[in-house]
Amino acid sequence: MQTRQAFDGQRRDQHGPDRRTLLKAAGIGLFAFNVAGVEVLLSPAEARARGAVLSVLSAEDAALLEAFGEALVPGARAAGIAHFVDANLARPHHESLLTVRYLDVLPPHDAFYRAGLAALDAASRAVLGVPFVQASAAAAKPLIAAMLPGTIAPWQGPPAALFYLTVRSDAADLVYGTRAAFDRMQVPYLAHIDPPSDW
Amino acid sequence: MTGSHTASAQAPKRTDAVIVGAGAAGNLFAAVLAEAGKSVLVLDPGPAWKAGDLYSSSIWSRRLRWGGPPVESTGANAFGAGFNMGWGTGGAALHHYGTWPRLMPSDFTMKSEFGKGLDWPIGYDDLRPFYDRVQEEVGVSGDAEAEVWRPAGAPYPLPPLQQFAQARLLAKGFHAKGMKTAPSPMAILSQDYKGRPACLYDGWCDAGCPIGALANPLVTYHPRAVKGGARFVNGAHVTQLIPGKTTRQAAGVEYVDSTGTTHTALADIVILAASTVSNPSILLNSKGGDWTNGAGNGSGLVGRYFMTHSIASVYGFFDDEETENYMGVTGAQATNMDHYGKQSLGGGAFGSLQWQLAPTMKPNDLLGVAMARADLFGADLTAFMERAVHHLAVMFGFGEGLPLLENRIELSDRIGPGGMKTPRVVHSFAPESVKVSEMAAQLGLGIIKAGGASEPWAGPMATAHMMGGTIMGNDPSASVTDSFGRSHEIDNLVIAGPGLFPTAGAMNPNFTNHALALRSAEHLVERWLS
């Protein structure tokens, strides 16, 4: 059965999951990822753990996004923030689940993320003397703290506060917005329609 | 005859009425007209949502937000278009919170009474019977007697919703200050009503209410419209009105379907119920025939007087209590309107203030716990979250934004479906409106502290709700429509939605939106083409 195969991460035919399967999978919190040339349906955390290929972001951008997301909301890296953002950027705008969708950031949103990440890295190199991914948490803290008030300098990209809020929201979605997170925090999930396996 | 959801290729080419937008007003118009025997076609750019699509998840709820051509938002107090606008059948009302206070009489006469803003062409008494009928139809829960501020009207058909610890804790502060609280009037069922079940208080209203306890269009007027024979086409982006034989007539509308194919829908009556942002956008893009300045825009006021509400958010911890902030409803559990009087705050503020206490907070999302302290990150955020998900309380002060000519929806240079230009919203609050929000924050801090909260703080001013842009009035040179939403310039064009409001008050707009739409739709049926 195709759907079962896809959920199990087993090899599919060369065309990958059909649209019905993809839609159904999206409804239970999975995205299509390419792992070693095979399309499989995984959660963002699983996709990261299995080294799924990114569709939109470069490896460098993904590493930077993971580092920034982890600095903002501990746990975001392992939760798969880069794969979560990447999978949603690959979707049509009206199917995106990203907070950026209602922060009035004009599309294309992949350009927004790329520009924000580039600005962050450039600021890190200028202020801290190292790429952001190499900055220690203690060193990065004042740099990040200057983003929301917009006092970070140098900064050449989308508004620093907007970029900070966007990535922080993505990270918070994964770390605090899932059913597992609710359970961890002992907050009753109280679903009307039982939510996806992951969120 | 029963209505249905129809592919654009099978959509009727001519109907008695074409309605643009399947939100609250569009569905209400469709129900009234279809039940009167009129053939009705409803066009909506988004998907045909069903109750089963409304997952209990803040993340998935984003699909219900605007997914059409991008809306630019700018100005000193930029409006949150993406968060407020809806997408698909049900429109913004599909993810609205069901907080349904009525406007006050002073909201209708602000210019006459205070020399500021505008007057409505009708008064509260004109709208009162429609408020009463709508609340009976859809089911509103509340305590009219406890709302000592409430204008005259029929009692609510349902008792108030249940309250949880957060509401009780916040109310203590108001009472300590000698202020009153009352259960919020909510279009959410406290008891089973007309075949719909009572609320479960799970706090997922923002993600849409799949059981139908909250009065979203999928369970109120949409089923009536479908049963009456209205046809719905989703994925239909209306690009412009088509001129009729004279400049005072519209022949119908042009729309682009999901394949990019352009269609026309001809009708005797065109009803624009797309949204406060999309209605002016469609009118301004309509430059056929002699409509060189846009359809119905001889006055130059299409898009003008856009309004929104300010939000002053006030937070505090109750460390000795489980605040149950994840329970209840997304709107509010209780309200206070002691400072609704336009000049009651003093200190240079002008405009009404409405408090909404104890909305549900889920851990993530824009109105969630994590965003309550957006400045925190790293280990500080982790510690905050552990404490806040069980001990945080919040209340929102909704402040009135005055109608200003310069606040507007205009066309940008970006191109959307069908080659039409996409909208841009330009918004800045008047200084006296900013003062309302600033004073609300200070007032709120005193209140929550008096209630025993520790470490209270106020968040940055935000915005909510969208009104104006196609305002009603008696003077065709100073407004876009008459009190029934009929265009002053195009005889068979009716505009619906909160875009008609000449003033915003400080009340959530959807109850007034429904009351106005019912009044207009019945008026239209009574005087069809006369």
Side-chain angles (χ1 to χ4, degrees):
Chain A
M1 187 171 137
Q2 288 186 343
T3 302
R4 170 57 62 191
Q5 284 178 342
F7 287 175
D8 289 346
Q10 295 175 9
R11 187 174 184 83
R12 293 211 20 121
D13 65 36
Q14 61 181 344
H15 302 296
D18 61 24
R19 179 160 176 77
R20 179 179 296 278
T21 303
L22 288 175
L23 290 172
K24 190 173 180 181
I28 61 167
L30 303 173
F31 296 94
F33 289 100
N34 187 309
V35 180
V38 180
E39 288 245 312
V40 290
L41 300 171
L42 302 167
S43 73
E46 291 168 336
R48 180 181 188 278
R50 296 178 61 172
V53 176
L54 296 159
S55 301
V56 177
L57 298 174
S58 68
E60 292 75 19
D61 284 342
L64 189 49
L65 181 57
E66 286 188 346
F68 186 38
E70 182 70 18
L72 293 173
V73 185
R77 185 196 306 272
I81 183 172
H83 287 82
F84 175 68
V85 170
D86 183 79
N88 277 289
L89 291 177
R91 293 175 156 200
H93 170 69
H94 64 272
E95 293 180 11
S96 170
L97 304 180
L98 298 175
T99 306
V100 70
R101 175 170 172 171
Y102 55 44
L103 289 177
D104 298 318
V105 175
L106 293 174
H109 290 153
D110 56 338
F112 171 79
Y113 278 90
R114 287 195 187 98
L117 291 169
L120 175 65
D121 198 48
S124 176
R125 291 172 190 270
V127 175
L128 307 178
V130 294
F132 187 83
V133 295
Q134 294 176 15
S136 69
K141 189 170 183 177
L143 191 74
I144 296 172
M147 292 182 73
L148 188 60
T151 55
I152 187 171
W155 183 267
Q156 287 191 313
L162 187 60
F163 186 64
Y164 167 94
L165 290 171
T166 299
V167 178
R168 187 178 180 277
S169 293
D170 296 334
D173 279 347
L174 293 173
V175 176
Y176 297 119
T178 67
R179 177 185 274 280
F182 277 53
D183 291 344
R184 189 180 71 243
M185 294 183 286
Q186 297 182 302
V187 173
Y189 198 90
L190 304 170
H192 273 311
I193 293 184
D194 210 23
S197 57
D198 202 349
W199 49 67
Chain B
M1 177 181 171
T2 57
S4 60
H5 290 266
T6 306
S8 53
Q10 281 78 49
K13 301 301 180 193
R14 181 169 193 90
T15 51
D16 292 331
V18 61
I19 299 175
V20 183
N27 273 292
L28 193 154
F29 263 91
V32 172
L33 267 57
E35 289 170 353
K38 304 300 181 186
S39 59
V40 176
L41 175 66
V42 184
L43 303 171
D44 192 279
W49 299 116
K50 305 293 183 192
D53 298 321
L54 306 177
Y55 305 140
S56 300
S57 161
S58 299
I59 300 170
W60 290 91
S61 74
R62 290 164 199 151
R63 298 175 306 160
L64 309 182
R65 261 63 181 206
W66 180 245
V71 176
E72 288 185 48
S73 191
T74 186
N77 309 107
F79 167 67
F83 187 69
N84 282 273
M85 293 173 68
W87 178 241
T89 303
L94 190 59
H95 60 74
H96 94 300
Y97 303 163
T99 310
W100 278 32
R102 301 171 183 224
L103 286 176
M104 298 283 194
S106 62
D107 294 323
F108 296 83
T109 57
M110 197 162 71
K111 177 72 172 176
S112 300
E113 282 192 63
F114 303 100
K116 285 183 180 288
L118 301 166
D119 281 346
W120 290 52
I122 54 175
Y124 173 78
D125 289 341
D126 296 302
L127 215 49
R128 174 188 165 177
F130 298 96
Y131 280 124
D132 289 348
R133 288 174 54 201
V134 169
Q135 73 174 21
E136 183 70 23
E137 171 70 24
V138 310
V140 175
S141 302
D143 183 341
E145 285 191 19
E147 283 180 57
V148 296
W149 323 272
R150 185 178 187 255
Y156 298 112
L158 291 163
L161 295 172
Q162 186 180 336
Q163 293 191 353
F164 296 87
Q166 188 188 181
R168 291 193 294 272
L169 291 165
L170 290 169
K172 285 194 325 187
F174 282 85
H175 301 159
K177 288 283 192 180
M179 300 171 74
K180 310 167 198 72
T181 60
S184 282
M186 304 299 291
I188 300 176
L189 305 181
S190 57
Q191 300 173 351
D192 293 355
Y193 190 73
K194 295 188 177 181
R196 290 161 47 206
C199 179
L200 300 173
Y201 304 105
D202 62 19
W204 286 116
C205 318
D206 180 72
C209 180
I211 66 169
L214 191 153
N216 74 55
L218 295 186
V219 294
T220 56
Y221 293 95
H222 184 67
R224 281 178 48 183
V226 171
K227 187 177 181 183
R231 304 277 292 272
F232 287 76
V233 176
N234 290 86
H237 290 263
V238 170
T239 52
Q240 60 178 321
L241 272 62
I242 302 168
K245 291 177 182 174
T246 74
T247 55
R248 293 198 64 87
Q249 285 185 313
V253 300
E254 177 187 274
Y255 66 98
V256 177
D257 69 16
S258 55
T259 69
T261 305
T262 299
H263 303 263
T264 58
L266 306 178
D268 294 336
I269 296 286
V270 175
I271 298 163
L272 272 189
S275 79
T276 295
V277 173
S278 296
N279 282 347
S281 175
I282 293 168
L283 290 170
L284 294 172
N285 269 307
S286 303
K287 296 192 174 180
D290 293 328
W291 296 337
T292 52
N293 199 30
N297 193 31
S299 65
L301 292 178
V302 167
R304 296 284 173 168
Y305 295 110
F306 174 81
M307 293 169 284
T308 185
H309 292 136
S310 63
I311 303 178
S313 52
V314 178
Y315 301 86
F317 283 109
F318 292 87
D319 288 310
D320 296 333
E321 305 265 5
E322 165 61 71
T323 57
E324 301 174 308
N325 56 30
Y326 44 81
M327 294 286 293
V329 294
T330 311
Q333 298 181 44
T335 186
N336 168 279
M337 301 178 193
D338 284 353
H339 293 92
Y340 202 85
K342 304 295 182 194
Q343 298 172 314
S344 62
L345 284 167
F350 182 89
S352 296
L353 171 65
Q354 178 213 173
W355 284 107
Q356 293 185 0
L357 286 63
T360 300
M361 286 181 286
K362 299 299 182 183
N364 62 321
D365 212 26
L366 280 193
L367 299 180
V369 175
M371 198 57 86
R373 283 291 305 273
D375 58 316
L376 298 181
F377 61 90
D380 295 338
L381 176 61
T382 303
F384 170 81
M385 290 299 292
E386 288 175 0
R387 179 186 183 193
V389 292
H390 293 289
H391 300 293
L392 186 63
V394 64
M395 56 191 202
F396 294 132
F398 285 77
E400 178 169 15
L402 293 176
L404 303 176
L405 182 68
E406 59 267 32
N407 286 334
R408 62 195 184 274
I409 297 124
E410 62 186 12
L411 298 181
S412 75
D413 295 328
R414 297 169 70 99
I415 301 300
M420 297 295 113
K421 292 183 175 178
T422 60
R424 177 193 295 124
V425 183
V426 182
H427 180 265
S428 302
F429 283 117
E432 51 266 66
S433 304
V434 174
K435 204 73 179 171
V436 168
S437 194
E438 290 174 350
M439 294 187 72
Q442 291 307 310
L443 180 65
L445 288 170
I447 291 169
I448 202 168
K449 198 170 180 180
S454 60
E455 304 170 41
W457 75 94
M461 183 172 70
T463 64
H465 309 138
M466 46 186 170
M467 297 141 291
T470 50
I471 64 165
M472 58 167 64
N474 289 322
D475 181 354
S477 70
S479 56
V480 178
T481 80
D482 68 9
S483 73
F484 296 101
R486 295 179 304 192
S487 164
H488 288 308
E489 301 173 23
I490 300 173
D491 295 328
N492 63 336
L493 170 64
V494 177
I495 299 172
L500 297 172
F501 296 8
T503 62
M507 301 301 198
N508 311 59
N510 206 16
F511 195 7
T512 303
N513 175 34
H514 277 74
L516 274 180
L518 180 61
R519 178 176 181 269
S520 299
E522 291 187 342
H523 180 270
L524 178 61
V525 170
E526 288 167 9
R527 293 164 176 76
W528 188 262
L529 296 183
S530 65

